[in-house]
């Protein structure tokens, strides 16, 4: 991209996404006084985000995702106070998030995922009160998941995925305060603790993915209050106790994944009310008994994937779930060993 782009003094919007542009972003681009939108996504642009971005006082949208940008995020980015939409997803940006970043109080959309950012996620992230969409992973952040995110009460989309060193307890404030959430993903982290009953108040949730963490305790029956839910994934944790019968009230659900936990008891007959269910994965738990015929009947509707643990007898004790393949279950896995 030639530095002469900075001579286009009347340019307000610059869209050059999905090309084969390489080399660095010229600093002159951000000297344009009335520039409001820049889309350079899906190219092969290299180098850092120019510190000159701080001179772009009218810039509202900046999309740099899916390039080969590297280096650190400059402190000067905090001077681009008009920014509302910012995506640097899918680059090779490193280092900590600069403190000036959290001066961008007009941001409504922020995606910094799929980079190599390190350090902790600062509590100052709670200053971005206008955010409706926030994506933080994959990255290499450490420390605890910030409870300060519960101050972002306008959030509709929160994605904290593939941050393997991120720990701390699942903040109960997310369930109490983020009542506009439609999509909540906290997955593939070291986040621990219980799923508190407050998560059952997030009435707008369509997707709830808390899989592949270190969560313990029982699945709260209040999850059955999330009547807009289409996908529920709590797999790959250490959740125990029975499957709540209230999950049978999730009338819009299509994907239900509870596998790889330590759940006990029977497969609830109430799941038979989930006519729209397409995938049900209950394997690698401590479930027992027989799959109710009414639940098997979902195979005659939309259910195409249904996996439980195989049943067998060890030392006179029946273990696992009795399930006929393929008339009832589409798959059966062995969890128990003699």
């Amino acid at each position: 991209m030639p530095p002469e782009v900075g001579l286009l003094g009347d340019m307000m919007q610059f869209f050059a996404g999905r090309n084969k542009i390489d080399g660095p972003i010229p600093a002159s681009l951000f000297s344009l006084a009335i520039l409001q939108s820049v889309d350079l996504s899906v190219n092969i642009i290299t180098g850092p985000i120019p510190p000159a971005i701080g001179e772009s006082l009218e810039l509202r949208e900046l999309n740099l995702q899916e390039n080969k940008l590297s280096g650190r995020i400059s402190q000067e980015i905090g001077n681009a106070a008009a920014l509302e939409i910012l995506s640097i997803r899918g680059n090779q940006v490193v280092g900590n998030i600069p403190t000036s970043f959290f001066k961008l109080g007009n941001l409504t959309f922020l995606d910094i995922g799929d980079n190599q950012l390190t350090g902790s996620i600062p509590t100052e992230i709670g200053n971005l009160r206008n955010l409706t969409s926030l994506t933080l992973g994959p990255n290499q952040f450490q420390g605890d998941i910030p409870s300060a995110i519960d101050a972002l009460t306008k959030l509709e989309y929160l994605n904290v995925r593939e941050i393997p060193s991120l720990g701390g307890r699942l903040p109960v404030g997310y369930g109490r305060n983020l009542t506009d959430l439609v999509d909540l993903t906290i997955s593939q982290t070291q986040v621990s603790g219980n799923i508190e009953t407050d998560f059952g108040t997030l009435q707008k949730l369509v997707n709830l993915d808390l899989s592949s963490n270190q969560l313990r305790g029982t699945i709260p029956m209040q999850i059955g209050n999330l009547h807009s839910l289409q996908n529920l994934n709590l797999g790959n944790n250490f959740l125990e106790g029975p499957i709540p019968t209230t999950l049978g009230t999730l009338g819009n659900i299509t994907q239900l994944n509870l596998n790889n936990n330590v759940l006990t008891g029977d497969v609830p007959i109430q799941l038979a009310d989930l006519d729209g269910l397409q995938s049900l994965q209950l394997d690698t738990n401590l479930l027992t008994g027989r799959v109710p015929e009414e639940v098997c009947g979902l195979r005659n509707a939309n259910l195409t994937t249904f996996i439980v643990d195989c049943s067998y007898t060890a030392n006179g004790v029946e273990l696992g779930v009795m399930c006929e393949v393929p008339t009832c279950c589409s798959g059966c896995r062995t969890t128990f060993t003699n």
Side-chain angles (χ1 to χ4, degrees):
M1 190 184 310
E4 288 81 4
V5 70
L7 300 177
L8 301 173
D10 292 328
M11 185 165 64
M12 297 177 64
Q13 299 177 327
F14 183 40
F15 300 132
R18 298 187 179 276
N19 284 290
K20 296 181 180 180
I21 299 171
D22 59 14
I25 302 171
S28 59
L29 176 63
F30 297 112
S31 67
L32 298 172
I34 61 173
L35 186 66
Q36 295 182 4
S37 300
V38 174
D39 185 350
L40 296 174
S41 61
V42 196
N43 281 289
I44 44 178
I45 297 170
T46 56
I49 302 170
I53 187 177
E55 302 172 12
S56 195
L57 302 182
E58 298 296 324
L59 188 63
R60 288 170 171 75
E61 300 181 19
L62 178 60
N63 186 355
L64 302 176
Q65 69 181 28
E66 305 299 335
N67 278 287
K68 295 185 179 298
L69 294 169
S70 58
R72 297 174 176 267
I73 302 173
S74 171
Q75 286 279 3
E76 281 75 7
I77 196 172
N79 295 326
L83 269 177
E84 298 174 2
I85 297 173
L86 174 61
S87 177
I88 60 171
R89 179 177 189 80
N91 283 284
Q92 300 163 20
V93 179
V94 300
N96 296 355
I97 303 175
T99 55
S100 66
F101 199 87
F102 304 108
K103 293 164 54 179
L104 300 174
N106 289 314
L107 279 179
T108 61
F109 179 98
L110 176 61
D111 188 346
I112 57 175
D114 204 8
N115 280 286
Q116 300 170 26
L117 294 168
T118 54
S120 62
I121 303 172
T123 58
E124 289 84 356
I125 197 168
N127 296 339
L128 304 179
R129 299 293 180 91
N130 287 306
L131 279 179
T132 60
S133 179
L134 173 62
T135 300
L136 296 173
N139 269 299
Q140 299 173 19
F141 294 123
Q142 298 176 334
D144 292 349
I145 186 169
S147 59
I149 288 177
D150 68 12
L152 307 179
T153 56
K154 295 181 180 180
L155 274 183
E156 299 174 7
Y157 180 92
L158 175 59
N159 189 313
V160 184
R161 180 176 61 86
E162 291 185 54
I163 309 179
S165 295
L166 187 69
R169 295 179 66 84
L170 180 65
V172 64
Y174 290 13
R176 290 177 182 167
N177 302 328
L178 304 182
T179 54
D180 282 343
L181 278 176
V182 175
D183 190 316
L184 173 59
T185 298
I186 301 173
S187 177
Q188 300 177 63
T189 74
Q190 295 297 313
V191 170
S192 60
N194 297 343
I195 304 172
E196 300 292 345
T197 59
D198 295 273
F199 282 85
T201 65
L202 302 177
Q203 295 291 318
K204 297 180 182 180
L205 272 182
V206 173
N207 175 67
L208 177 59
D209 184 352
L210 300 177
S211 64
S212 301
N213 295 300
Q214 301 292 315
L215 300 177
R216 299 179 181 273
T218 60
I219 302 172
M221 63 179 184
Q222 289 81 0
I223 296 296
N225 296 330
L226 305 179
H227 299 300
S228 297
L229 209 58
Q230 296 178 15
N231 176 61
L232 175 61
N233 188 350
L234 304 179
N236 294 290
N237 282 289
F238 297 94
L239 298 171
E240 59 189 15
I243 298 172
T245 59
T246 55
L247 296 188
T249 66
L250 300 175
N252 289 306
I253 201 161
T254 61
Q255 310 286 326
L256 177 56
N257 188 351
L258 305 177
N259 73 326
N260 281 286
N261 282 288
V262 285
L263 299 173
T264 55
D266 298 333
V267 177
I269 192 173
Q270 288 82 359
L271 298 184
D273 293 331
L274 305 179
D275 294 336
L277 199 60
Q278 299 173 11
S279 176
L280 176 59
Q281 298 189 43
L282 305 176
D283 56 287
T284 320
N285 278 291
L286 302 177
L287 299 173
T288 55
R290 181 185 295 273
V291 178
E293 291 184 9
E294 293 86 347
V295 176
C296 289
L298 293 175
R299 292 292 304 273
N300 299 322
N302 295 295
L303 188 65
T304 56
T305 300
F306 180 19
I307 306 175
V308 297
D309 295 322
C310 300
S311 175
Y312 75 99
T313 300
N315 299 322
V317 178
E318 184 180 282
L319 303 173
V321 178
M322 296 191 67
C323 167
E324 296 183 10
V325 180
T327 56
C328 182
C329 300
S330 56
C332 183
R333 295 178 181 167
T334 301
T335 300
F336 302 95
T337 56
N338 290 311

mmCIF file of all heavy atoms in Angstrom, residues 277-280 298-299 301-306 329-330:
data_model
loop_
_atom_site.group_PDB
_atom_site.id
_atom_site.type_symbol
_atom_site.label_atom_id
_atom_site.label_comp_id
_atom_site.label_asym_id
_atom_site.label_seq_id
_atom_site.Cartn_x
_atom_site.Cartn_y
_atom_site.Cartn_z
ATOM 1 N N LEU A 277 -34.654 -31.302 19.113
ATOM 2 C CA LEU A 277 -33.294 -31.722 19.432
ATOM 3 C C LEU A 277 -32.673 -32.500 18.274
ATOM 4 O O LEU A 277 -33.258 -33.457 17.779
ATOM 5 C CB LEU A 277 -33.302 -32.568 20.700
ATOM 6 C CG LEU A 277 -31.982 -32.730 21.449
ATOM 7 C CD1 LEU A 277 -31.430 -31.391 21.894
ATOM 8 C CD2 LEU A 277 -32.173 -33.659 22.648
ATOM 9 N N GLN A 278 -31.482 -32.069 17.862
ATOM 10 C CA GLN A 278 -30.761 -32.723 16.772
ATOM 11 C C GLN A 278 -29.569 -33.534 17.274
ATOM 12 O O GLN A 278 -29.190 -34.524 16.661
ATOM 13 C CB GLN A 278 -30.278 -31.683 15.762
ATOM 14 C CG GLN A 278 -31.394 -30.882 15.114
ATOM 15 C CD GLN A 278 -30.876 -29.752 14.255
ATOM 16 O OE1 GLN A 278 -29.686 -29.657 13.959
ATOM 17 N NE2 GLN A 278 -31.764 -28.854 13.845
ATOM 18 N N SER A 279 -28.945 -33.079 18.364
ATOM 19 C CA SER A 279 -27.763 -33.763 18.892
ATOM 20 C C SER A 279 -27.853 -33.809 20.411
ATOM 21 O O SER A 279 -28.063 -32.782 21.053
ATOM 22 C CB SER A 279 -26.485 -33.032 18.459
ATOM 23 O OG SER A 279 -25.334 -33.630 19.044
ATOM 24 N N LEU A 280 -27.701 -35.017 20.981
ATOM 25 C CA LEU A 280 -27.736 -35.222 22.419
ATOM 26 C C LEU A 280 -26.538 -36.103 22.791
ATOM 27 O O LEU A 280 -26.485 -37.273 22.425
ATOM 28 C CB LEU A 280 -29.051 -35.888 22.826
ATOM 29 C CG LEU A 280 -29.215 -36.273 24.296
ATOM 30 C CD1 LEU A 280 -29.095 -35.066 25.205
ATOM 31 C CD2 LEU A 280 -30.553 -36.993 24.513
ATOM 32 N N LEU A 298 -37.377 -39.603 19.935
ATOM 33 C CA LEU A 298 -36.877 -38.384 19.285
ATOM 34 C C LEU A 298 -36.131 -38.704 18.000
ATOM 35 O O LEU A 298 -35.961 -37.823 17.147
ATOM 36 C CB LEU A 298 -35.964 -37.607 20.235
ATOM 37 C CG LEU A 298 -36.644 -36.991 21.474
ATOM 38 C CD1 LEU A 298 -35.595 -36.363 22.388
ATOM 39 C CD2 LEU A 298 -37.674 -35.953 21.058
ATOM 40 N N ARG A 299 -35.693 -39.948 17.856
ATOM 41 C CA ARG A 299 -35.025 -40.361 16.602
ATOM 42 C C ARG A 299 -35.983 -40.290 15.427
ATOM 43 O O ARG A 299 -35.565 -40.205 14.272
ATOM 44 C CB ARG A 299 -34.465 -41.782 16.738
ATOM 45 C CG ARG A 299 -33.297 -41.930 17.721
ATOM 46 C CD ARG A 299 -32.033 -41.244 17.239
ATOM 47 N NE ARG A 299 -31.636 -41.716 15.926
ATOM 48 C CZ ARG A 299 -30.871 -42.795 15.707
ATOM 49 N NH1 ARG A 299 -30.440 -43.508 16.738
ATOM 50 N NH2 ARG A 299 -30.557 -43.151 14.490
ATOM 51 N N ALA A 301 -38.010 -37.856 15.037
ATOM 52 C CA ALA A 301 -38.197 -36.428 14.754
ATOM 53 C C ALA A 301 -36.920 -35.879 14.159
ATOM 54 O O ALA A 301 -36.565 -36.196 13.023
ATOM 55 C CB ALA A 301 -38.601 -35.703 16.034
ATOM 56 N N ASN A 302 -36.178 -35.084 14.924
ATOM 57 C CA ASN A 302 -34.992 -34.419 14.388
ATOM 58 C C ASN A 302 -33.679 -34.960 14.929
ATOM 59 O O ASN A 302 -32.610 -34.583 14.451
ATOM 60 C CB ASN A 302 -35.067 -32.914 14.695
ATOM 61 C CG ASN A 302 -36.220 -32.234 13.981
ATOM 62 O OD1 ASN A 302 -36.254 -32.162 12.770
ATOM 63 N ND2 ASN A 302 -37.186 -31.734 14.758
ATOM 64 N N LEU A 303 -33.734 -35.842 15.933
ATOM 65 C CA LEU A 303 -32.515 -36.298 16.598
ATOM 66 C C LEU A 303 -31.729 -37.248 15.699
ATOM 67 O O LEU A 303 -32.191 -38.318 15.347
ATOM 68 C CB LEU A 303 -32.871 -36.998 17.910
ATOM 69 C CG LEU A 303 -31.696 -37.361 18.818
ATOM 70 C CD1 LEU A 303 -30.989 -36.116 19.323
ATOM 71 C CD2 LEU A 303 -32.175 -38.210 19.993
ATOM 72 N N THR A 304 -30.514 -36.824 15.323
ATOM 73 C CA THR A 304 -29.655 -37.655 14.475
ATOM 74 C C THR A 304 -28.404 -38.131 15.207
ATOM 75 O O THR A 304 -27.808 -39.132 14.821
ATOM 76 C CB THR A 304 -29.226 -36.891 13.219
ATOM 77 O OG1 THR A 304 -28.580 -35.670 13.596
ATOM 78 C CG2 THR A 304 -30.431 -36.566 12.345
ATOM 79 N N THR A 305 -27.982 -37.425 16.257
ATOM 80 C CA THR A 305 -26.818 -37.821 17.043
ATOM 81 C C THR A 305 -27.239 -37.975 18.498
ATOM 82 O O THR A 305 -27.686 -37.016 19.129
ATOM 83 C CB THR A 305 -25.694 -36.771 16.941
ATOM 84 O OG1 THR A 305 -25.299 -36.622 15.583
ATOM 85 C CG2 THR A 305 -24.489 -37.192 17.772
ATOM 86 N N PHE A 306 -27.135 -39.208 19.021
ATOM 87 C CA PHE A 306 -27.495 -39.488 20.412
ATOM 88 C C PHE A 306 -26.477 -40.488 20.940
ATOM 89 O O PHE A 306 -26.474 -41.652 20.538
ATOM 90 C CB PHE A 306 -28.916 -40.033 20.483
ATOM 91 C CG PHE A 306 -29.387 -40.361 21.876
ATOM 92 C CD1 PHE A 306 -28.773 -39.831 23.004
ATOM 93 C CD2 PHE A 306 -30.475 -41.193 22.062
ATOM 94 C CE1 PHE A 306 -29.211 -40.127 24.271
ATOM 95 C CE2 PHE A 306 -30.936 -41.495 23.334
ATOM 96 C CZ PHE A 306 -30.300 -40.962 24.443
ATOM 97 N N CYS A 329 -30.006 -45.138 20.192
ATOM 98 C CA CYS A 329 -28.797 -44.300 20.186
ATOM 99 C C CYS A 329 -28.059 -44.465 18.874
ATOM 100 O O CYS A 329 -28.035 -45.532 18.277
ATOM 101 C CB CYS A 329 -27.872 -44.685 21.331
ATOM 102 S SG CYS A 329 -28.637 -44.499 22.951
ATOM 103 N N SER A 330 -27.423 -43.379 18.434
ATOM 104 C CA SER A 330 -26.597 -43.460 17.234
ATOM 105 C C SER A 330 -25.173 -43.830 17.575
ATOM 106 O O SER A 330 -24.372 -44.113 16.691
ATOM 107 C CB SER A 330 -26.626 -42.123 16.485
ATOM 108 O OG SER A 330 -26.217 -41.066 17.331
#
